[in-house]
Amino acid sequence: MRANSRPFWFWAIPVNILVIALIAIFILVIDEDDQPAPVAEQTRTAGQGGDAGAGASPAADGDSDGETPGEARRDVEDPFGLGNPESPVAMVVFTDFQCPFCAKHSAEVEPQLIDQYLNEAKLRIEWRDVDFFGEDSNRAARAAWAAGQQNLYIEFHQSLFGDGEPLDPPDLTQEKLTAAAQALSMDLAQFERDMESDEAYQHVRDNAEEAAEVGAFSTPAFVINGQPMSGAQPLEEFQKAIEAAEQDNPYEAGGSS
């Protein structure tokens, strides 16, 4: 029988090819497993309790209670509103009791808007007190909520801002706030109890969340029939905005269009 004349490396070539092919297949499998899931799959995962990512919009679905952020409630029994709920224009005001520009607006512009528009049932104003300036603002906002429980929010709000001078922490101590309530003949026991209630704290948190959802990160900030406006603008700017909103007439008695 003839001896095999092929050299030993002749058989090494197909073996090497087979090994290389197996390694390549292994690498492809590992690489496929490491690829991110398709966008649709990522979206489904986020919707099942995962992190939706930085691109998610907190206001995409509106408030959990069905209200649109920055939209007036137009509730005749709302203690934080003033003016006919069926007025063609509604202005939501985000304000902080330590904000100097809020005090200026409250003393100089607000009374003129009330005289010019509220008395003719053309404008409704609703306030959302926030605590951007910290603990003292939070205490004042809770006190304002407590005043609202005795249907004296507007009077309390106006008494704090009064002459339009900025309010500092010493002006917003528990003693000063209680004294302001007493000057309005409130039931002080109820006032102090309401101030410390869970509802008062939640009210301020809700206002801050609503402000964030409409992009109001400073005060004063306004939403006039859905249109944002920021800063203590002169009276003329509010007149233009209110009259433009009335002309557009996006609200009709009985509900939004």
Side-chain angles (χ1 to χ4, degrees):
M1 188 174 183
R2 190 175 60 175
N4 191 345
S5 60
R6 293 174 179 172
F8 75 94
W9 48 264
F10 176 86
W11 302 105
I13 292 173
V15 172
N16 289 338
I17 292 173
L18 179 60
V19 170
I20 292 170
L22 290 173
I23 291 172
I25 292 170
F26 179 79
I27 290 172
L28 286 173
V29 170
I30 295 299
D31 185 62
E32 184 175 331
D33 288 342
D34 288 340
Q35 290 298 315
V39 173
E41 182 63 29
Q42 292 183 48
T43 304
R44 284 195 297 271
T45 302
Q48 293 170 355
D51 186 359
S57 172
D61 297 324
D63 284 347
S64 59
D65 58 7
E67 293 181 1
T68 301
E71 183 178 35
R73 301 183 186 108
R74 294 181 178 272
D75 181 355
V76 69
E77 296 182 357
D78 183 359
F80 312 108
L82 184 65
N84 190 332
E86 295 187 351
S87 298
V89 183
M91 179 170 73
V92 175
V93 185
F94 294 93
T95 184
D96 186 307
F97 281 109
Q98 287 191 88
C99 165
F101 299 107
C102 296
K104 179 180 174 67
H105 171 82
S106 179
E108 297 179 7
V109 176
E110 220 164 62
Q112 297 186 70
L113 294 179
I114 290 171
D115 288 342
Q116 182 175 355
Y117 296 110
L118 267 76
N119 294 336
E120 297 180 7
K122 290 185 178 180
L123 175 68
R124 175 172 173 81
I125 303 176
E126 296 184 9
W127 289 266
R128 311 280 196 266
D129 296 313
V130 296
D131 57 352
F132 291 168
F133 284 71
E135 181 181 348
D136 299 294
S137 294
N138 183 278
R139 186 186 309 110
R142 287 186 286 108
W145 183 85
Q149 305 317 295
Q150 300 188 45
N151 293 314
L152 287 167
Y153 170 81
I154 305 300
E155 294 81 354
F156 188 80
H157 174 96
Q158 292 172 342
S159 73
L160 288 190
F161 277 134
D163 55 8
E165 291 299 315
L167 294 168
D168 296 317
D171 301 312
L172 301 174
T173 62
Q174 182 66 54
E175 292 75 13
K176 291 290 182 70
L177 294 169
T178 301
Q182 186 174 24
L184 293 171
S185 301
M186 290 190 207
D187 179 329
L188 296 185
Q190 180 187 339
F191 173 78
E192 293 178 351
R193 185 169 60 250
D194 286 339
M195 260 191 78
E196 296 305 318
S197 68
D198 293 340
E199 291 88 346
Y201 282 95
Q202 186 61 52
H203 174 77
V204 181
R205 282 195 295 270
D206 289 344
N207 286 349
E209 288 173 8
E210 185 179 3
E213 287 175 328
V214 301
F217 297 106
S218 62
T219 51
F222 310 86
V223 181
I224 302 174
N225 276 20
Q227 296 301 311
M229 182 175 178
S230 62
Q233 303 287 338
L235 174 65
E236 294 76 17
E237 294 302 315
F238 285 95
Q239 289 172 327
K240 289 178 189 175
I242 291 167
E243 286 161 16
E246 184 182 12
Q247 246 183 357
D248 292 342
N249 195 27
Y251 177 82
E252 296 177 358
S256 301
S257 61

